[in-house]
């Protein structure tokens, strides 16, 4: 490990002292000095694994099981009670018959904004607020068709960018090297944007990869001071030196993170846990 890498990890550790995460309960909540006018939002990030537990990049749900399976996903999402849901590894088709996922699972949301599907890559944003506009931006350096979906909403009279992404994973040395460049592209893109909610599966190999965000004034839900580092994925690859990884995150500008929690995980709907953050507009 290089000296720069060591320093980055140590600096991030100073920002995020790990605490035990209790499934289904809030990890922590900061004391509130908010005025009555303060706007709080509940945001979730979920790598939904193409509705296949991440085992396939295409639907595997059979039509005869589709209605019951979709009801399970709807119940899970409804229980979150979120204003915004960012989804990685989304799929426009819920089952092998091509039933639209927007209709089968996400119809309760006012705004349903899917991005393009590039193999395993497909991002989507869902919200109870109306969306003003959206844009798909490809990463300039990538190995796996990765991109980010930039959606814009009006919250409290202010424009808020809600961004969903999924960075390259460690399938090759080139993909591993692409990820820091992708993080820098995100930071540059929104450097002068006052209100941003960035959700995604960042495929980090370790918490130190998040370090550039707080250095630029962003706040981390996962690996931040409120909750420490929370593992949202357990790799099935036993060769990995660190199989438990804080892959999923909600990272914000113009907001403070009030609390962070995990869903009650039962390994039946996805191979990733749902990360939920309550944030307050500043």
């Amino acid at each position: 490990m290089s000296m720069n890498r060591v320093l980055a990890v140590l600096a991030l550790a100073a920002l995020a002292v790990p605490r035990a995460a209790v499934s289904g309960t809030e990890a922590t909540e900061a004391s509130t000095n908010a005025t009555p006018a303060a706007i709080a939002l509940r945001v979730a990030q979920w790598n939904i694994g193409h509705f296949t537990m991440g085992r396939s990049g295409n639907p595997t749900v059979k039509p005869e099981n589709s209605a019951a399976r979709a009801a399970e996903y709807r119940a899970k999402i409804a229980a979150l009670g979120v204003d915004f849901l960012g989804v990685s590894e989304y799929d426009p088709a819920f089952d092998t018959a091509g039933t639209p996922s927007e209709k089968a699972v996400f119809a309760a949301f006012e705004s349903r904004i899917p991005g393009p599907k590039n193999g395993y890559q497909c991002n989507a944003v869902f919200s109870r607020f109306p969306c003003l506009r959206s844009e798909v931006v490809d990463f300039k350096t990538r190995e796996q068709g990765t991109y980010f979906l930039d959606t814009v909403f009006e919250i409290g009279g202010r424009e808020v960018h809600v961004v969903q992404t999924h960075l390259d994973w460690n399938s090759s040395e080139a993909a591993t090297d692409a990820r820091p460049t992708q993080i820098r592209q995100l930071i540059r893109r929104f450097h002068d944007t006052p209100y941003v909610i960035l959700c995604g599966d960042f495929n980090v190999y370790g918490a130190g990869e998040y370090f550039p965000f707080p250095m630029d004034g962003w706040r981390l839900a996962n690996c931040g001071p409120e909750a420490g580092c929370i593992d949202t994925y357990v790799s099935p690859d036993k060769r990995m030196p660190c199989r438990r990884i804080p892959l999923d995150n909600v990272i914000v500008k113009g907001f403070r993170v009030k609390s962070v929690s995990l869903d009650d995980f039962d390994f039946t709907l996805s191979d990733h846990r749902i990360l939920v953050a309550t944030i307050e507009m500043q």
Side-chain angles (χ1 to χ4, degrees):
M1 182 181 290
S2 69
M3 181 58 69
N4 287 339
R5 175 75 169 172
V6 171
L7 292 174
V9 172
L10 290 175
L12 185 61
L15 291 170
V17 178
R19 300 183 179 90
V22 180
S23 178
T25 62
E26 290 185 328
T28 184
E29 183 165 350
S31 60
T32 56
N33 297 314
T35 65
I39 296 174
L41 299 170
R42 190 167 166 84
V43 182
Q45 154 63 25
W46 193 10
N47 182 325
I48 211 163
H50 297 278
F51 311 108
T52 70
M53 293 289 295
R55 300 187 184 111
S56 172
N58 294 301
T60 58
V61 177
K62 301 299 183 184
E64 59 268 26
N65 301 323
S66 184
R69 191 65 168 159
E72 293 182 66
Y73 281 96
R74 290 196 304 270
K76 170 66 75 175
I77 292 168
L80 298 175
V82 293
D83 301 295
F84 293 98
L85 171 63
V87 176
S88 304
E89 294 189 17
Y90 177 72
D91 204 291
F94 181 70
D95 56 27
T96 56
T99 302
S101 299
E102 289 185 44
K103 178 181 178 181
V105 177
F106 301 97
F109 289 101
E110 177 170 347
S111 293
R112 302 179 293 275
I113 310 104
K117 182 177 178 180
N118 299 332
Y120 260 86
Q121 295 294 333
C122 192
N123 299 301
V125 172
F126 301 95
S127 178
R128 67 181 184 86
F129 296 103
C131 181
L132 302 179
R133 61 186 184 274
S134 65
E135 180 183 2
V136 173
V137 182
D138 292 337
F139 285 116
K140 296 176 181 178
T141 302
R142 62 180 186 171
E143 293 292 316
Q144 299 155 355
T146 46
Y147 65 92
F148 60 90
L149 175 63
D150 180 9
T151 64
V152 182
F153 297 80
E154 182 177 331
I155 308 293
R158 288 160 281 190
E159 282 199 352
V160 176
H161 288 250
V162 180
V163 184
Q164 179 64 28
T165 194
H166 190 181
L167 305 190
D168 278 42
W169 59 88
N170 291 0
S171 63
S172 67
E173 185 175 346
T176 305
D177 291 342
R179 204 159 52 242
T181 304
Q182 293 168 355
I183 289 174
R184 288 194 294 270
Q185 183 177 341
L186 286 165
I187 290 173
R188 286 195 300 268
R189 163 88 175 198
F190 299 104
H191 180 74
D192 296 320
T193 305
Y195 297 101
V196 187
I197 302 169
L198 171 60
C199 302
D201 176 348
F202 291 84
N203 274 313
V204 296
Y205 198 67
E209 291 190 44
Y210 288 126
F211 182 61
F213 287 107
M215 287 294 292
D216 195 60
W218 298 66
R219 291 182 169 123
L220 305 171
N222 202 352
C223 294
E226 284 71 28
C229 288
I230 302 172
D231 300 318
T232 60
Y233 178 74
V234 179
S235 171
D237 188 350
K238 296 181 179 180
R239 297 169 298 175
M240 292 182 66
C242 180
R243 295 178 60 213
R244 302 182 64 86
I245 323 170
L247 295 186
D248 299 275
N249 215 331
V250 176
I251 306 174
V252 297
K253 285 184 65 181
F255 297 85
R256 73 183 184 94
V257 178
K258 292 183 64 183
S259 64
V260 184
S261 63
L262 290 175
D263 69 309
D264 292 314
F265 192 54
D266 52 13
F267 283 99
T268 61
L269 299 180
S270 176
D271 55 345
H272 284 246
R273 303 187 73 175
I274 307 172
L275 184 77
V276 183
T278 299
I279 60 175
E280 187 175 83
M281 183 176 279
Q282 294 187 309

